[in-house]
Amino acid sequence: MAGEGFDRYKSILDKARKEKLEVLNTWYSLFKLNEDPFAREIPDEEIDSYFIDRENIIENIIFDIGVASRGIPIIVLLVAPTGFGKSSLLRYIHHIITKIASSDTKNYSFKGEYMLSESLFDTKDGVGEGGEDSNDDDNNNKDSVQSWIKISKKVMDFILFDDANPNYIRTIINEFINTKLKLFAISPIDLEQALSIIQYEPKIYFLSEFNYNDCVRMLEQRLKMTIQTENKNNIKIYDLFDETAIKTIYDNSFGIPKLILECSSKALSLLKSIVIGKASKSEQRQIDNTNNNKKVTSQIAIQACR
């Protein structure tokens, strides 16, 4: 009986694997996409396919890492508000250095870490406030602190510290004495205090907002990585978005990469809902539903950016 049951389940698996994608996936049936191209997390192995308009800063920081590998201490501040791509840039630089080092360990044996702020102080709500689990929380946090202390004792060429604040900067400078290059991604509001903590003049790189052409390039690259057709290189963002829609998204996002992606994702999802008839009545009233070309219009973009 067990064998017969498994055969039945195998037939279900076979059916699922043979079913047409148009039936299984609305994104595919409407747009020939695997998923929402603007909402997906970028894997490290694909990150170089998404990077836009930061090459000069990338080159400067890689140069700084090379200098630090000669034993020269450097502190770098990467300054931008939330959503400007600080995290992506640090991940990309770490990806580049790791790939170079792994391909030629003799000439490029760089040692370094990309560290999130959470890994420095992995505290939990309620620690130190009593309660039955306070001792367990203390032990867990002690283990967490010990893990980064072990890293801090290593001799490293660089540390790329994401989402730093002045307290984190002070801790990294004091503890990571064997690391030559210390890079901190910070918000502009923390810049003045960060400078007061650092004893010698750091290098400072500012990330700016995207221009319109950068916005289009970013959206097209995202689109091409999730498009499921043989001629994916011929697919343009204007095949899914009216030009006026992209301009609307860009204007309402103020050139901030994260907001551009969020608005684009909402706009495409709203178009999908309209096409399959699942948009709310209020959305339908505010948007012209005569869109037979399955494109995001400026009206849809305005609604998505609200």
Side-chain angles (χ1 to χ4, degrees):
M1 293 296 293
E4 293 178 1
F6 285 145
D7 289 339
R8 179 165 60 90
Y9 295 139
K10 286 179 183 178
S11 67
I12 293 173
L13 288 172
D14 290 338
K15 180 180 179 182
R17 294 166 74 177
K18 294 176 182 178
E19 189 68 83
K20 291 182 178 180
L21 284 175
E22 289 89 338
V23 177
L24 303 174
N25 189 331
T26 307
W27 286 107
Y28 184 87
S29 64
L30 296 178
F31 311 119
K32 297 295 185 280
L33 299 170
N34 267 344
E35 57 186 322
D36 184 341
F38 311 121
R40 70 189 294 257
E41 283 291 323
I42 307 174
D44 287 342
E45 61 270 18
E46 295 181 15
I47 198 167
D48 56 340
S49 301
Y50 289 95
F51 230 83
I52 302 292
D53 190 44
R54 306 294 195 215
E55 194 61 36
N56 60 331
I57 293 179
I58 293 168
E59 291 177 358
N60 286 336
I61 293 176
I62 289 176
F63 181 86
D64 294 336
I65 292 174
V67 172
S69 69
R70 301 170 63 185
I72 301 173
I74 303 174
I75 291 182
V76 177
L77 299 179
L78 181 66
V79 185
T82 300
F84 273 62
K86 298 189 297 295
S87 298
S88 296
L89 189 142
L90 294 190
R91 285 176 55 205
Y92 185 46
I93 291 172
H94 188 255
H95 173 72
I96 292 173
I97 296 298
T98 302
K99 286 291 186 181
I100 292 174
S102 63
S103 64
D104 189 348
T105 55
K106 181 179 180 180
N107 294 313
Y108 302 102
S109 57
F110 296 109
K111 297 177 182 178
E113 296 278 346
Y114 166 71
M115 181 179 285
L116 293 167
S117 59
E118 292 85 353
S119 61
L120 188 57
F121 297 111
D122 186 17
T123 57
K124 298 181 179 180
D125 292 337
V127 174
E129 296 179 2
E132 295 180 0
D133 298 328
S134 60
N135 290 332
D136 290 339
D137 286 339
D138 287 339
N139 290 332
N140 291 335
N141 287 309
K142 182 178 179 181
D143 292 340
S144 174
V145 171
Q146 291 297 323
S147 67
W148 72 258
I149 286 179
K150 291 177 182 177
I151 296 175
S152 73
K153 304 307 178 184
K154 294 179 182 178
V155 177
M156 294 193 295
D157 298 308
F158 66 89
I159 182 171
L160 309 176
F161 195 85
D162 200 2
D163 196 22
N165 65 31
N167 289 331
Y168 295 160
I169 293 173
R170 183 181 289 106
T171 299
I172 293 292
I173 290 175
N174 291 338
E175 299 294 336
F176 283 73
I177 57 177
N178 295 320
T179 300
K180 294 305 177 183
L181 181 140
K182 303 175 184 70
L183 185 151
F184 304 100
I186 66 172
S187 167
I189 62 175
D190 291 326
L191 179 57
E192 184 176 352
Q193 190 175 354
L195 292 174
S196 69
I197 294 170
I198 300 169
Q199 294 180 350
Y200 55 90
E201 185 175 356
K203 289 190 172 183
I204 305 176
Y205 302 119
F206 294 91
L207 294 186
S208 59
E209 67 276 7
F210 277 2
N211 61 38
Y212 178 75
N213 290 333
D214 293 333
C215 167
V216 174
R217 285 175 58 208
M218 177 179 68
L219 295 178
E220 284 195 341
Q221 287 193 7
R222 289 262 182 166
L223 181 64
K224 287 177 181 178
M225 294 303 293
T226 50
I227 204 79
Q228 292 298 301
T229 61
E230 293 182 358
N231 63 335
K232 65 169 61 180
N233 290 327
N234 295 325
I235 299 295
K236 303 297 181 184
I237 195 66
Y238 296 122
D239 295 331
L240 288 179
F241 289 74
D242 286 342
E243 185 171 358
T244 55
I246 296 181
K247 288 180 178 177
T248 298
I249 289 172
Y250 177 76
D251 291 340
N252 283 273
S253 302
F254 310 104
I256 300 173
K258 183 178 181 180
L259 294 183
I260 292 170
L261 292 172
E262 288 178 353
C263 287
S264 300
S265 173
K266 290 178 182 178
L268 198 59
S269 295
L270 182 53
L271 173 63
K272 179 166 72 78
S273 297
I274 291 170
V275 172
I276 64 177
K278 290 189 177 181
S280 67
K281 292 182 179 179
S282 61
E283 290 171 337
Q284 291 283 10
R285 283 196 299 268
Q286 297 180 58
I287 298 170
D288 181 8
N289 195 24
T290 61
N291 189 347
N292 296 320
N293 295 323
K294 296 178 183 175
K295 277 190 177 185
V296 173
T297 64
S298 59
Q299 290 174 301
I300 294 176
I302 291 171
Q303 180 73 6
C305 291
R306 287 178 176 170

